[in-house]
Amino acid sequence: MKKGFLNNFANWILDKLATKVYNQLATSNKTMIGALNELNSKVFIKTQNLSTFSVNIKLDKDTYTSFLMYGATSQNNGFMYIVFIDVASANRKVNFIKIADFVTNRTFSGTYSDDTSTLTINANGTIWGGIKLLMFK
């Protein structure tokens, strides 16, 4: 009896995620699953086997910018950080706020240039599985 109820409840939740429309979402697809798929298709960086990554993106000079950065160096060594870029008047300092990282000595540094609209991220080692960046707006 409990197993049947839990299966029905799980199916109900999945159905809601796939079909319920959330007009508050700032994506063209207003379902949860559709919005997640849309965001995943807008990844800025998806490059492997590097220790320096660059992406061209024009940022508003008076607005703080945040990205979700995630990736892995192997199957068991994933990481997730918030990348925070300061406003131009504060010299565009780039900060990395660790959410999770399974390599304790991994470090990141970065720069942003308004002249070239380039964000450069440096890792202290090769990121074999690559880095992905999602922008928060």
Side-chain angles (χ1 to χ4, degrees):
M1 170 94 169
K2 286 184 183 179
K3 185 177 180 181
F5 172 76
L6 290 177
N7 282 338
N8 288 338
F9 183 64
N11 288 336
W12 178 81
I13 290 173
L14 290 173
D15 182 60
K16 289 295 180 192
L17 289 173
T19 60
K20 180 162 176 37
V21 174
Y22 298 89
N23 289 318
Q24 303 91 326
L25 292 173
T27 56
S28 61
N29 191 312
K30 300 295 183 186
T31 67
M32 289 298 259
I33 291 174
L36 289 171
N37 287 336
E38 183 177 325
L39 288 173
N40 197 38
S41 71
K42 294 182 178 180
V43 170
F44 286 106
I45 295 178
K46 187 181 177 184
T47 309
Q48 297 175 309
N49 307 331
L50 298 173
S51 60
T52 299
F53 302 84
S54 293
V55 61
N56 288 333
I57 180 167
K58 186 149 180 71
L59 302 180
D60 185 307
K61 290 185 178 197
D62 298 318
T63 304
Y64 300 103
T65 306
S66 296
F67 293 91
L68 177 65
M69 178 179 81
Y70 58 99
T73 52
S74 71
Q75 179 179 347
N76 299 317
N77 290 321
F79 58 85
M80 184 176 288
Y81 287 78
I82 300 288
V83 180
F84 180 82
I85 304 172
D86 216 333
V87 294
S89 62
N91 298 321
R92 290 292 197 193
K93 184 175 179 186
V94 179
N95 292 298
F96 295 83
I97 303 162
K98 179 169 61 171
I99 298 170
D101 196 335
F102 294 100
V103 175
T104 57
N105 63 348
R106 183 181 355 246
T107 59
F108 291 99
S109 62
T111 58
Y112 180 80
S113 168
D114 283 299
D115 295 335
T116 61
S117 300
T118 302
L119 171 62
T120 302
I121 296 172
N122 300 296
N124 66 333
T126 301
I127 307 296
W128 299 107
I131 285 179
K132 294 183 181 181
L133 282 177
L134 291 174
M135 183 178 208
F136 295 126
K137 286 191 175 185

